[in-house]
RNA sequence: AGGGAAGUAGCUCAAUCGGCAGAGCAGGCGCCUUUGGAGCGCAAGGUUAAAGGUUCGAGUCCUUUCUUCCCUGCCA
């Protein structure tokens, strides 16, 4: 799907420059470097598509590298989940699966080298003191009293750190740069700290762990990464990235920063996603309302839709918020081409065809996917008693309501024209059944006399329908920017109706053998995916995204319009 | 004594290193239709943050200003 792609953006411009001036001999090698401390979300997808996409576009390679330099936060569970999500998205890193922890020995040697050339020292200030000595955004910092120890002493002390001679917090290794630098990252940044935690991969071999800044650039360098693409908040780190590489004198990749994705109607910060899970606002990381890759997958999103979305939004340095409907647009776009159609009734209204023989059952041929001839057809049973959607009938239809009403004729999809002859209500006045008559000449859905109907309804045969559970999802938040309100917590904006369970719904028998992960369009309603909670006895469907609904839109507009008119007429003439 | 970055249509991005400011999505209006889906078409949408300068010509180069965002973890 990405073949022949030729995206142009500020990053390809930089790469083109490099290719012209020969900086990397025309080579392009990128990497996707997640920290295994949480689940991947749609924001990561942008970075993934970017890194793998750029490599592909230039005939280069993209590595997967776990940035596992902080064992206090990282777990194998996340490594597994991230790997699975990447595979599902359709990316392949070949044999190039790496871990920053693979380089701990080399990194240690590099640190020793910096000590040897007098550019690093062991500091025994405590955390608070280091912060105090660092200065502020507008005031310069002060040098640590330990800054001018001899090289020999630093070497010995660093070895002591490695050997476990210090406790957590008692000593750090720092780069000797400039305590008065305007960029705070350059005020003698910490290179190594002591962490008393077992590492998922290196176990308890190490007592000291490199900081991100000391690990990332060198890891890039070791792997021969040419273009190290990261998000905007690392702009301030680039001088340090460059400093380490220049002072260690190793291969020097180019760090490039882009604006991370923000999506409306959701939150994408790890901290907030964790809260949603911990506070029970959702059922877990893969809850279909979550913006995580696993959540989107369970919701019924396709990898293709996510990738198309990432292509579409492009890449720049402007922080913005992409509208959720853009993601949904690409989802519908792909599902429309690939999802088989099926008929299902979510809110049933019983219909009895008075002039249809009691015991008769007909097999109606239905097209599985009008967008894809190879999807073929199926047969749908039709009988005297049916369910239609309650919303498809109105006893007193307003203007522009084209569906069924007393005395009105409509088409039942793939079946007959029917006309409503009677409305049956219960004691409370609620409509419980419709009596209709069908025209036998209209079998298949068209009238020999050429008469037309304004609408086509979906339906299921009551005696043949399968009962299933539907989970109707809506957006998790009621506002566009749940986390941009300074006075209110983002959880205040959680949509109380983000999940509505309807049980039972009635689906056509064709669905009997549907498997978890199968996607369908319930005609005229929405796309659905079979959830993993389904059992042999009962199917569970997650509503992925609704179809665009002109009638609902028209209703909304109609509700707005009178107000407008009133306002106008209130004006003095 | 602060450093870094970004401002082009409602949103996301373009504009071939100075040459008629364009696209997708959203919104509007039509056409078509055995899904009120899909599809197709039309119109609308802009003082390129602002001011000044250079130039035959500036979104693009220079100067100043304004606005927004990021940075004071032994997180990444």
């Amino acid at each position: 799907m990405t073949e022949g792609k030729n995206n142009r953006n500020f990053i390809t411009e930089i790469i083109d420059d490099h290719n012209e001036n020969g900086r990397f001999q025309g080579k392009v090698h990128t990497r996707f470097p997640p920290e295994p401390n949480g689940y991947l979300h749609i924001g990561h997808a942008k970075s993934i598509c970017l890194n793998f996409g750029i490599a592909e576009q230039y005939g280069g390679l993209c590595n997967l590298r776990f940035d596992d330099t902080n064992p206090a936060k990282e777990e194998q569970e996340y490594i597994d989940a991230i790997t699975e999500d990447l595979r599902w998205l359709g990316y392949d890193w070949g044999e190039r699966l790496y871990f920053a922890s693979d380089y701990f020995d080399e990194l240690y040697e590099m640190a020793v080298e910096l000590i040897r050339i007098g550019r690093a020292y062991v500091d025994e200030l405590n955390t608070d003191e280091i912060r105090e000595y660092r200065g502020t955004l507008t005031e310069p910092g002060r040098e640590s009293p330990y800054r001018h120890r001899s090289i020999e002493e630093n070497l010995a002390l660093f070895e002591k750190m490695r050997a476990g001679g210090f406790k957590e917090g008692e000593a750090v290794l720092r780069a000797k740069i400039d305590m008065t630098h305007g960029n705070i990252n350059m005020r003698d940044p910490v290179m190594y700290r002591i962490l008393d935690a077992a590492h998922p991969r290196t176990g308890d071999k190490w007592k000291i762990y490199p900081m991100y800044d000391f690990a990332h650039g060198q890891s890039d360098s070791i792997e021969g990464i040419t273009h190290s693409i990261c998000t905007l908040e690392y702009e301030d780190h680039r001088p340090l990235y460059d400093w380490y590489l220049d002072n260690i004198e190793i291969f020097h990749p180019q760090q490039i920063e882009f604006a991370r994705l923000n999506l409306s109607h959701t939150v994408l910060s790890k901290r907030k996603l964790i809260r949603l899970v911990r506070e029970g606002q959702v059922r877990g990381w893969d809850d279909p309302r979550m913006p995580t890759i696993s959540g989107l997958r369970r919701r019924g999103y396709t990898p293709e839709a996510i990738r198309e979305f990432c292509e579409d939004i492009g890449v720049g340095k402007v922080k913005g918020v992409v509208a959720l409907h853009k993601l949904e647009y690409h989802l519908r776009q792909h599902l429309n081409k690939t999802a088989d159609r099926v008929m299902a009734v979510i809110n049933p209204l019983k219909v009895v065809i008075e002039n249809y023989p009691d015991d008769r059952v007909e097999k109606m041929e239905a097209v599985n996917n009008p967008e894809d001839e190879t999807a073929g057809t199926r047969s749908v049973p039709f009988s005297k008693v049916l369910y239609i959607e309650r919303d498809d009938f109105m006893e007193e239809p307003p203007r522009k309501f084209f569906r069924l009403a007393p005395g009105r004729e409509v088409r039942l999809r793939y079946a007959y024209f029917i006309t409503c002859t009677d409305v049956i209500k219960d004691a409370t006045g609620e409509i419980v059944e419709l009596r209709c008559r069908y025209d036998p000449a209209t079998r298949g859905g068209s009238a020999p006399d050429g008469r037309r109907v304004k609408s086509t309804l979906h339906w299921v045969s009551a005696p043949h329908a399968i009962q299933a559970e539907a989970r109707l999802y809506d957006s998790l938040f009621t506002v566009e920017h749940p986390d941009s309100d300074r006075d209110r917590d983002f959880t205040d904006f959680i949509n109380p109706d983000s999940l509505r369970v309807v049980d039972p719904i009635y689906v056509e028998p064709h669905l009997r053998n549907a498997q978890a992960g199968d996607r369908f369009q319930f005609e005229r309603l929405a796309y659905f995916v079979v959830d993993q909670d389904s059992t042999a006895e009962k199917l569970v469907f997650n509503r992925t995204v609704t179809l665009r609904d002109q009638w609902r839109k028209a209703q909304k507009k109609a509700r707005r319009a009178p107000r407008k008119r009133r306002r106008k007429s209130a004006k003095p003439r």
Side-chain angles (χ1 to χ4, degrees):
Chain A
M1 60 171 287
T2 44
E3 67 177 60
K5 172 184 69 182
N6 189 25
N7 295 334
R8 305 226 46 218
N9 53 53
F10 81 99
I11 295 178
T12 61
E13 226 165 85
I14 292 170
I15 295 175
D16 291 344
D17 280 349
H18 288 155
N19 287 345
E20 268 169 46
N21 65 31
R23 170 154 172 200
F24 298 111
Q25 292 83 48
K27 194 180 134 194
V28 175
H29 202 332
T30 58
R31 101 269 90 114
F32 174 63
E35 183 189 16
N37 70 342
Y39 285 76
L40 255 30
H41 56 64
I42 183 72
H44 293 108
K46 177 177 180 181
S47 172
I48 293 161
C49 294
L50 225 195
N51 276 294
F52 281 93
I54 290 269
E56 186 182 347
Q57 191 174 334
Y58 284 89
L61 297 169
C62 180
N63 295 356
L64 169 58
R65 179 171 76 235
F66 285 97
D67 227 330
D68 56 345
T69 56
N70 184 359
K73 289 188 173 178
E74 297 152 7
E75 289 170 34
Q76 184 63 38
E77 176 197 350
Y78 297 125
I79 295 177
D80 297 338
I82 289 169
T83 306
E84 183 192 352
D85 289 347
L86 281 165
R87 289 239 160 79
W88 178 76
L89 279 173
Y91 292 101
D92 179 21
W93 48 93
E95 300 299 306
R96 299 178 313 283
L97 166 63
Y98 302 115
F99 294 82
S101 55
D102 294 342
Y103 314 129
F104 280 175
D105 286 305
E106 282 168 273
L107 258 11
Y108 179 80
E109 290 308 321
M110 291 174 189
V112 169
E113 177 59 22
L114 285 182
I115 296 173
R116 282 216 179 89
I117 61 173
R119 305 254 159 89
Y121 64 98
V122 173
D123 197 353
E124 289 173 76
L125 253 27
N126 65 37
T127 312
D128 291 340
E129 291 166 331
I130 285 184
R131 188 187 309 121
E132 195 193 321
Y133 276 73
R134 185 158 36 228
T136 68
L137 293 177
T138 53
E139 293 162 320
R142 289 157 22 233
E143 295 187 354
S144 163
Y146 302 100
R147 195 175 198 259
H148 296 288
R149 300 212 240 228
S150 72
I151 289 171
E152 290 67 32
E153 196 182 353
N154 280 318
L155 252 14
L157 255 15
F158 187 45
E159 168 57 23
K160 184 179 168 187
M161 280 175 64
R162 192 194 63 76
F166 288 105
K167 290 196 179 68
E168 229 179 88
E170 286 184 346
V172 292
L173 184 71
R174 291 232 249 170
K176 195 186 286 186
I177 305 180
D178 179 1
M179 288 307 292
T180 68
H181 202 111
N183 180 347
I184 289 172
N185 292 306
M186 300 297 272
R187 319 239 260 232
D188 289 11
V190 172
M191 294 163 57
Y192 269 93
R193 80 288 213 187
I194 295 159
L195 250 30
D196 200 13
H199 189 282
R201 295 184 59 84
T202 62
D204 52 11
K205 175 181 175 184
W206 294 92
K207 298 282 177 248
I208 57 173
Y209 291 91
M211 297 285 288
Y212 163 86
D213 287 300
F214 190 69
H216 204 91
Q218 291 95 296
S219 299
D220 286 341
S221 180
I222 290 166
E223 293 177 17
I225 301 303
T226 54
H227 303 273
S228 181
I229 300 167
C230 60
T231 47
L232 247 27
E233 63 268 29
Y234 290 100
E235 281 174 326
D236 285 346
H237 293 247
R238 179 155 28 90
L240 183 53
Y241 181 101
D242 292 337
W243 190 92
Y244 284 132
L245 263 13
D246 288 341
N247 282 277
I248 299 167
E249 296 186 309
I250 52 177
F251 171 70
H252 196 143
Q254 176 66 53
Q255 176 178 304
I256 302 168
E257 309 87 8
F258 73 97
R260 69 165 62 210
L261 170 70
N262 291 304
L263 237 204
S264 74
H265 301 281
T266 191
V267 294
L268 289 181
S269 90
K270 224 167 252 181
R271 208 193 92 244
K272 288 177 179 138
L273 294 177
I274 283 173
R275 274 190 57 197
L276 292 174
V277 174
R278 296 241 169 98
E279 294 174 11
Q281 308 278 11
V282 295
R283 295 180 181 178
W285 285 101
D286 67 345
D287 186 292
R289 292 164 290 184
M290 289 286 272
T292 51
I293 301 298
S294 52
L296 295 172
R297 176 167 60 233
R298 193 165 176 184
R299 176 75 170 256
Y301 272 76
T302 64
E304 290 87 344
I306 293 172
R307 291 170 66 148
E308 284 298 324
F309 168 74
C310 291
E311 297 284 329
D312 185 23
I313 58 176
V315 51
K317 289 178 89 91
V318 186
K319 296 180 189 186
V321 183
V322 177
L324 178 63
H325 64 65
K326 190 140 197 154
L327 217 206
E328 293 179 336
Y329 165 80
H330 287 285
L331 214 213
R332 291 192 182 101
Q333 200 75 13
H334 185 239
L335 255 16
N336 177 48
K337 294 273 186 280
T338 56
D340 279 357
R341 273 60 167 173
V342 98
M343 291 196 284
V345 172
I346 288 179
N347 188 12
L349 177 57
K350 186 177 174 187
V351 167
V352 176
I353 315 287
E354 290 180 315
N355 58 336
Y356 196 83
D358 285 357
D359 304 328
R360 187 149 164 213
V361 176
E362 285 183 87
K363 301 279 192 185
M364 301 307 194
E365 187 182 38
V367 173
N368 284 331
N369 186 348
E371 302 286 326
D372 177 9
E373 277 184 27
T374 67
T377 61
R378 67 185 186 283
S379 86
V380 185
F382 182 89
S383 69
K384 185 184 180 77
V385 182
L386 312 168
Y387 292 126
I388 65 166
E389 210 68 58
R390 197 163 274 273
D391 289 349
D392 283 341
F393 175 81
M394 282 187 102
E395 195 170 14
E396 293 170 22
R399 238 171 71 79
K400 296 208 171 172
F401 181 86
F402 302 143
R403 286 116 94 149
L404 195 59
R408 185 182 288 178
E409 183 173 52
V410 299
R411 170 167 42 234
L412 292 179
R413 181 137 231 230
Y414 299 124
Y416 296 99
F417 285 11
I418 59 165
T419 303
C420 177
T421 54
D422 203 4
V423 178
I424 299 176
K425 298 178 183 175
D426 66 10
T428 68
E430 200 198 345
I431 299 171
V432 293
E433 184 182 317
L434 261 28
R435 312 296 288 195
C436 296
R437 298 184 68 79
Y438 85 115
D439 177 355
T442 57
R443 191 180 198 280
S446 53
D449 63 6
R451 77 182 189 278
R452 307 207 148 222
V453 290
K454 291 207 88 170
S455 124
T456 303
L457 308 189
H458 61 276
W459 52 272
V460 292
S461 165
H464 300 91
I466 305 173
Q467 296 192 7
E469 173 182 334
R471 296 175 182 171
L472 307 182
Y473 293 103
D474 203 342
S475 91
L476 225 205
F477 295 95
T478 54
V479 297
E480 258 180 84
H481 311 297
D483 53 3
S484 68
D485 192 308
R486 298 209 169 157
D487 303 321
R488 295 225 269 157
D489 189 71
F490 73 102
T491 54
D492 291 351
F493 302 108
I494 285 183
N495 178 5
D497 300 317
S498 62
L499 168 59
R500 191 161 64 88
V501 176
V502 181
D503 190 1
I505 64 166
Y506 297 88
V507 304
E508 60 175 85
H510 174 70
L511 249 29
R512 194 175 306 280
N513 298 317
Q515 301 295 308
D518 288 352
R519 302 182 182 93
F520 299 96
Q521 183 197 101
F522 289 2
E523 290 215 36
R524 303 206 307 132
L525 295 175
Y527 292 99
F528 281 81
V529 66
V530 179
D531 189 76
Q532 62 202 42
D533 287 347
S534 298
T535 63
E537 290 73 41
K538 184 175 222 168
L539 288 166
V540 176
F541 290 94
N542 292 328
R543 185 171 71 190
T544 307
V545 65
T546 60
L547 259 32
R548 292 177 67 220
D549 185 341
Q550 306 277 334
W551 166 240
R552 202 167 52 181
K553 211 166 84 178
Q555 280 177 302
K556 268 187 202 165
K557 211 166 67 176
R559 250 178 275 131
R560 275 196 311 264
R563 243 179 289 142
K564 245 185 216 166
R565 241 174 258 134
R566 219 174 296 136
R567 216 177 285 142
K568 259 183 194 165
S569 59
K571 272 186 193 170
R573 311 245 146 162

